[in-house]
């Protein structure tokens, strides 16, 4: 290795350290709010629907805009978009911290989602263009995935530590120094990259991608909260119709925002599906485990955050092991094994009742996090390996859509399962002498039940609180077993779809230039190493 190559490698690895900052922060911001929700409830008094939107609007906006922002980064430059996103994210963080109403917090969380949507595809696409060697890129993506998964696990710890000493808005203000550091270091440490011939930006497709995502998730959320009704079902149908029209439009365009032909690649499709379901299970479970620690086990926020450390360690260890495993073992085995390990973790979480308590929670979350992170590391690499360097932003955006959509659906679907069980159980087990209005309030959420119990006479309040905690734990068990079953099914499917996929070096891939570009100068493709993904 000559001096120039060594210098380029050092700069690439230093740049990766800079890229980890926004990844860690965006992941933290998805989860740091979890422990702040009770404090926000006391301060802003949101309705149950508003509380759900406060939590969910951030990942929803991320999911809706990621594809658009990834395409935009390919056009204007990924580093430039990253710096713009850092400024927007920091500004929105200040507004969120000083929100004076539930509506204002929902709006500012939406702005945070817009800022986050500019950060995530930029980081992964920059990695695609900074590391041209397949082995080194795989290690870089492992670091990237470890930061994302570690942030998800460490978010509760950071939130708990902050809430021990400050008001709830401080969980947003921690974003500011990180975003300032990113703005300063990005021009010094990161190379600019863009598509040399991006073609025309399709605004109609951008609007349609958002129009497909938001109504669909809105409908799922409200069905999870209130059960099926005309409005949420109609919203889902509208979202699916717009999504179908979006796909039809992409098929008809010479230069589509999303190349739907990618889904003809079995390795790519299986990777997207495994990525989505893995995050679905991981994020959906956090909705229950955080409430269990705070409202059932009764631990302080900081202590509850400490219980997440083993899971963070397991996630980072799995991310580090993944590149070594896929050198010797087929992706089908690694992904399938990771999904089965994650499923085993959910079985342990389903045993939270029966005297195991917090010990089962720590063991289950650590096992689940290790298995799911193994899957995310391998699948993220296989997804980004399909992209030529000039289109890395678009494919990175699609990868992150799978991640964010999986998280939003996990909260909605698993939350719906748990809520259904909770309400049915509490209806049967609540004290008979409880007034109907108090029972209705208690059946809304566990937090509502404990708040109602606190306003009742001592004995009646204790009976209601005990019944609510027992009903919530039963709902948690059913949701965890549901997640476990889905992961087992995905393991079987992934093994079938990936059985012929090997990660190995092959000749450089060149892409034909569209007919209408024939008169343009064709970009020279760098020598690059791609993965052999079965079609």
């Amino acid at each position: 290795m000559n001096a120039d190559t060594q210098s380029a490698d050092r700069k690439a690895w230093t740049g990766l350290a800079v890229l980890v900052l926004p990844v860690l922060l965006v992941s933290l911001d998805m989860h740091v709010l979890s422990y702040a929700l009770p404090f926000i409830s006391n301060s802003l008094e949101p309705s149950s629907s508003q509380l759900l939107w406060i939590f969910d609007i951030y990942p929803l906006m991320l999911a809706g805009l990621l594809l658009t922002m990834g395409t935009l980064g390919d056009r204007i430059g990924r580093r430039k978009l990253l710096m713009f996103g850092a400024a927007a994210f920091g500004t929105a963080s200040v507004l969120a911290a000083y929100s004076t109403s539930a509506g204002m917090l929902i709006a500012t969380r939406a702005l945070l989602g817009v800022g986050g949507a500019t950060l995530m595809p930029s980081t992964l696409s920059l990695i695609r263009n900074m590391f041209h060697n397949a082995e080194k890129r795989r290690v870089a993506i492992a670091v990237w995935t470890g930061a994302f998964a570690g942030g998800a696990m460490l978010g509760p710890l950071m939130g708990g530590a902050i809430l021990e000493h400050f008001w709830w808005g401080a969980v947003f203000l921690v974003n500011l120094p990180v975003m300032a550091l990113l703005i300063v270091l990005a021009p010094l440490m990161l190379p600019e990259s863009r598509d040399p011939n991006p073609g025309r930006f399709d605004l109609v497709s951008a609007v349609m991608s958002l129009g497909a995502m938001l109504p669909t998730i809105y409908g799922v959320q409200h069905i999870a909260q209130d059960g099926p009704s005309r409005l949420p079902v109609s919203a889902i149908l509208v979202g699916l119709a717009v999504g179908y029209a979006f796909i039809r439009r992409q098929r008809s365009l010479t230069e589509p925002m999303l190349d739907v032909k990618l889904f003809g690649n079995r390795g790519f499709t299986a990777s997207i599906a495994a990525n989505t379901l893995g995050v679905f299970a991981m994020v959906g479970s956090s909705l229950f485990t955080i409430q269990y620690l705070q409202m059932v086990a009764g631990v302080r926020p900081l202590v509850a955050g400490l219980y997440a450390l083993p899971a963070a360690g397991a996630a980072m260890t799995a991310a580090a092991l993944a590149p070594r495993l896929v050198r010797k073992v087929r992706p089908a085995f690694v992904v399938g094994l990771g999904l089965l390990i994650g499923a085993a973790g959910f079985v342990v979480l389903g045993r939270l009742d029966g005297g195991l308590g917090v010990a089962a929670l720590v063991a289950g979350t650590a096992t689940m996090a290790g298995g799911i992170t193994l899957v995310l590391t391998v699948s993220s690499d296989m997804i980004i390996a399909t992209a030529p360097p000039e289109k890395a932003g678009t494919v990175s955006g699609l990868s992150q859509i799978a991640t964010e959509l999986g998280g939003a659906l996990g909260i909605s679907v698993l939350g719906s399962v748990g809520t259904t069980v909770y309400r049915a159980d509490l209806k049967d087990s609540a004290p008979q002498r409880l007034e109907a209005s108090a029972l209705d309030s208690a059946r809304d959420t566990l937090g509502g039940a404990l708040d109602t119990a606190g306003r009742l006479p001592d004995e009646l309040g204790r009976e209601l609180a005990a019944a609510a905690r027992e009903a919530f734990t039963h709902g948690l068990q059913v949701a965890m077993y549901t997640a476990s079953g889905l992961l087992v099914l995905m393991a079987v499917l992934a093994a079938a779809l990936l059985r012929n996929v090997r990660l190995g070096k092959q000749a450089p891939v060149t892409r034909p230039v569209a007919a209408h570009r024939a008169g343009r100068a064709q970009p020279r493709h760098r020598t690059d190493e791609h993965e052999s993904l079965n079609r």
Side-chain angles (χ1 to χ4, degrees), residues 238-261:
V238 169
L240 293 177
V242 175
Y244 176 74
F246 172 80
I247 293 173
R248 289 286 301 269
R249 180 175 177 82
Q250 302 315 296
R251 290 183 182 278
S252 67
L253 294 175
T254 306
E255 292 179 332
M257 174 179 284
L258 172 63
D259 184 2
V260 294
K261 294 179 182 177

Side-chain angles (χ1 to χ4, degrees), residues 333-344:
F333 179 79
V334 178
V335 172
L337 177 64
L339 290 166
L340 291 177
I341 292 173

Side-chain angles (χ1 to χ4, degrees), residues 154-504:
L154 292 174
L157 174 60
M158 189 171 116
I162 291 170
L163 292 168
E164 286 281 319
H165 304 287
F166 303 99
W167 100 111
W168 62 265
V171 300
F172 296 106
L173 294 182
V174 295
N175 299 336
L176 298 183
V178 178
M179 291 296 98
L181 189 62
L182 179 60
I183 291 172
V184 171
L185 293 180
L188 303 176
M189 302 293 186
L190 300 176
E192 184 59 283
S193 64
R194 60 172 62 89
D195 185 349
N197 294 304
R200 183 177 64 87
F201 181 75
D202 186 9
L203 181 60
V204 174
S205 291
V207 173
M208 291 177 72
S209 67
L210 186 62
M213 195 71 63
L214 292 184
T216 303
I217 305 303
Y218 170 87
V220 172
Q221 281 183 322
H222 278 260
I223 289 176
Q225 181 68 21
D226 303 315
S229 63
R230 181 177 300 177
L231 179 60
V233 171
S234 299
I236 291 173
L237 294 176
V238 169
L240 293 177
V242 175
Y244 176 74
F246 172 80
I247 293 173
R248 289 286 301 269
R249 180 175 177 82
Q250 302 315 296
R251 290 183 182 278
S252 67
L253 294 175
T254 306
E255 292 179 332
M257 174 179 284
L258 172 63
D259 184 2
V260 294
K261 294 179 182 177
L262 286 170
F263 289 96
N265 181 319
R266 290 192 297 174
F268 179 84
T269 302
S271 298
I272 287 285
N275 194 312
T276 303
L277 188 57
V279 178
F280 168 96
M282 180 182 287
V283 176
S285 69
S286 69
L287 181 69
F288 294 93
T289 55
I290 290 171
Q291 291 185 76
Y292 182 89
L293 284 171
Q294 287 186 293
M295 301 181 189
V296 178
V299 301
R300 292 161 45 207
L302 178 59
V303 177
L306 290 172
Y307 288 130
L309 287 179
M316 294 177 184
T317 301
L321 289 176
R324 299 181 183 182
L325 285 175
V326 294
R327 290 175 193 164
K328 301 178 180 180
V329 182
R330 291 185 181 184
F333 179 79
V334 178
V335 172
L337 177 64
L339 290 166
L340 291 177
I341 292 173
F346 281 109
V347 171
V348 176
L349 287 174
R351 301 278 297 169
L352 274 176
D353 199 26
L356 297 180
V358 173
L361 187 143
V362 172
T365 53
T367 304
M368 174 271 296
I372 297 300
T373 303
L374 190 65
V375 174
L376 297 183
T377 304
V378 177
S379 63
S380 294
D381 181 59
M382 288 195 291
I383 291 168
I384 198 64
T386 64
E390 66 274 9
K391 294 298 183 185
T394 302
V395 175
S396 299
L398 182 60
S399 171
Q400 289 307 300
I401 284 176
T403 298
E404 304 302 335
L405 181 60
L409 288 174
I411 292 170
S412 297
V413 175
L414 293 182
S416 177
V417 171
T419 299
T420 300
V421 174
Y422 169 78
R423 289 175 175 172
D425 280 13
L426 191 58
K427 181 180 179 181
D428 295 334
S429 62
Q432 294 295 320
R433 61 189 184 278
L434 190 66
E435 294 182 2
S437 59
L439 178 60
D440 289 341
S441 178
R443 292 182 67 218
D444 196 14
T445 63
L446 175 60
L450 297 181
D451 183 63
T452 299
R455 297 195 298 267
L456 295 173
D458 289 347
E459 183 179 354
L460 183 60
R462 285 194 297 269
E463 291 179 10
L464 175 60
R469 290 187 175 107
E470 184 177 348
F472 176 83
T473 301
H474 186 206
L476 179 151
Q477 292 171 336
V478 174
M480 297 304 99
Y481 288 133
T482 300
S484 180
L486 290 173
L487 290 180
V488 171
L489 291 176
M490 186 66 234
V492 174
L493 180 61
L497 291 176
L498 297 173
R499 65 184 183 277
N500 295 322
V501 174
R502 291 175 173 82
L503 299 184

